Amino acid sequence: MPPLGRLYEVGDRRLMLYRTGSGGPAVVFLPGAGLVGLDYINTHDRVAEVTTSVIYDRAGTGWSDRAPLPRTGAAVAAELSDVLRVAEVPGPYVLVGHSLGGVYARLFAARFPNDVAGLLLLDPFHEDLTADAPQEVLDKLEQMKRPEDLPDLTAEQLQQARVTLDKHFAAWPDDVRGPLVDYRLASWRNAMLEDNNLYDEVSDELRNAPALPDVPLIVITAAGHDATQAALWSEEIVRKTHETKLDLHARLAASVPRGEHRVLDDAGHGYPHEERRDAVLHAIDDLLTAAR
C-alpha cells in the first residue's frame, strides 16, 4: 500500500491517487520521468491550503500497478481522465506538468479541453528540443534507450545512493521519506524506460495534436544548474540546450492568447518545485486566480 493516498480501480489496474484540500479548481500534479506523485508532496501540501490538490502515480510507476513501459501519451492522458473520474475529483483542473509530465499535460489539454482550467508547465520537454542536436547528443540518447544493458548496482553503490537520497529527501515528511528512498533504489531504470519513446512516438503525438485550448498557461524554464545534467553532458551542450529550451518555451507560451513565459535562473530541471517552491506556488496561485 502507498504511504499516502489510496489505490483506485481504473480498468484492469489500480492507480495511486492522493488528494487533500477543498474547493476548485483542483490542482493536479503530473510527475516528470523517474519521479512519482510523492516527489511533489511538499508543494502539494501548500496548494491544499487554498484548493483541492491531487498527486498520483502513472501506471508502471510509484505505487500504481505495473504496466509495460514506455506508453503513448494518449494512453496516459486517457488514464488520468479515468482516475480523476473514479476518484470523484471534479473538473476543470489546473494541471501542473513537470518535464515528461508537461508533455502529458499538453496532450490531456488537447484531448479534453473542457476539463482544463489552466496549465503550468515546469521545464517541459519540447518535441523540437533535439531537432538541431549534435550527433554526440543523439548517440547518447540512443544508448540511454537500453537500460537493460546496464549492470545492477553493487551493494556499495546502493549504500552510497541511499545516503545521497536520504539527504535529498530530508525535508520530506517522515512517513514519506523512507518509502520514497526505497522506491527510488528499486526502480532507477524506470525513468529510462518511461521516456524511451519520447523523442519519436510521443513527439509525433505532440506535433499532430490539436492546438492547446484557450486557457491561462504559464511555462517555466529552469535555467539553473542541474547536477544530473552536468554529470551527463558537457558544459557546452548544457549551455546550447538551455538556449534552445528558452526559445522553444517562449514560443510555446506565445501559442495561446493567455500564455506567459517565466525563467528561473536558480533552479535545475529535476526539482524546480523544491528549489524554487515560492515561484511555482506563485504561478499556481496566478493560474487559480485567472481560472476563477
Side-chain angles (χ1 to χ4, degrees), residues 91-271:
Y93 315 104
V94 171
L95 302 181
V96 180
H98 172 214
S99 188
L100 177 64
V103 172
Y104 296 147
R106 287 173 60 190
L107 292 171
F108 182 99
R111 182 169 182 177
F112 306 103
N114 293 333
D115 291 339
V116 179
L119 286 168
L120 174 57
L121 305 180
L122 292 178
D123 213 39
F125 171 81
H126 192 281
E127 60 272 24
D128 295 328
L129 186 62
T130 59
D132 298 318
Q135 192 60 44
E136 172 191 353
V137 171
L138 299 177
D139 290 343
K140 182 174 284 190
L141 290 174
E142 189 62 31
Q143 292 174 0
M144 292 168 66
K145 286 186 176 183
R146 301 189 297 274
E148 67 277 2
D149 293 344
L150 298 175
D152 291 334
L153 298 179
T154 66
E156 181 180 359
Q157 288 172 323
L158 282 170
Q159 181 56 34
Q160 291 174 344
R162 181 174 292 279
V163 171
T164 300
L165 288 169
D166 281 335
K167 291 180 180 178
H168 174 75
F169 290 116
W172 268 248
D174 292 341
D175 55 346
V176 169
R177 185 185 312 112
L180 258 180
V181 170
D182 290 341
Y183 170 78
R184 194 62 54 81
L185 292 173
S187 62
W188 57 272
R189 284 185 171 90
N190 257 30
M192 303 171 72
L193 288 170
E194 193 177 22
D195 65 3
N196 228 338
N197 60 347
L198 181 58
Y199 296 91
D200 39 47
E201 184 177 20
V202 175
S203 289
D204 285 342
E205 286 184 277
L206 284 172
R207 295 186 183 101
N208 296 320
L212 289 175
D214 180 9
V215 297
L217 163 70
I218 296 176
V219 182
I220 291 182
T221 301
H225 174 77
D226 184 272
T228 300
Q229 291 183 344
L232 285 172
W233 311 104
S234 68
E235 289 186 14
E236 179 66 9
I237 287 176
V238 171
R239 182 185 64 79
K240 288 183 177 179
T241 300
H242 279 177
E243 291 174 355
T244 301
K245 186 171 64 173
L246 283 164
D247 177 61
L248 292 173
H249 286 177
R251 282 194 267 164
L252 178 58
S255 68
V256 297
R258 290 179 283 174
E260 182 181 351
H261 181 212
R262 302 180 184 181
V263 180
L264 300 179
D265 292 319
D266 52 356
H269 174 74
Y271 278 83

Side-chain angles (χ1 to χ4, degrees), residues 28-60:
V28 181
F29 290 85
L30 284 70
L35 275 64
V36 294
L38 293 179
D39 280 285
Y40 303 84
I41 187 64
N42 296 323
T43 308
H44 161 91
D45 285 346
R46 291 286 301 277
V47 172
E49 296 173 6
V50 296
T51 192
T52 302
S53 186
V54 176
I55 51 179
Y56 88 111
D57 295 337
R58 294 184 286 269

Side-chain angles (χ1 to χ4, degrees), residues 15-35:
L15 301 180
M16 191 290 288
L17 183 144
Y18 178 60
R19 63 181 289 185
T20 53
S22 61
V27 174
V28 181
F29 290 85
L30 284 70
L35 275 64

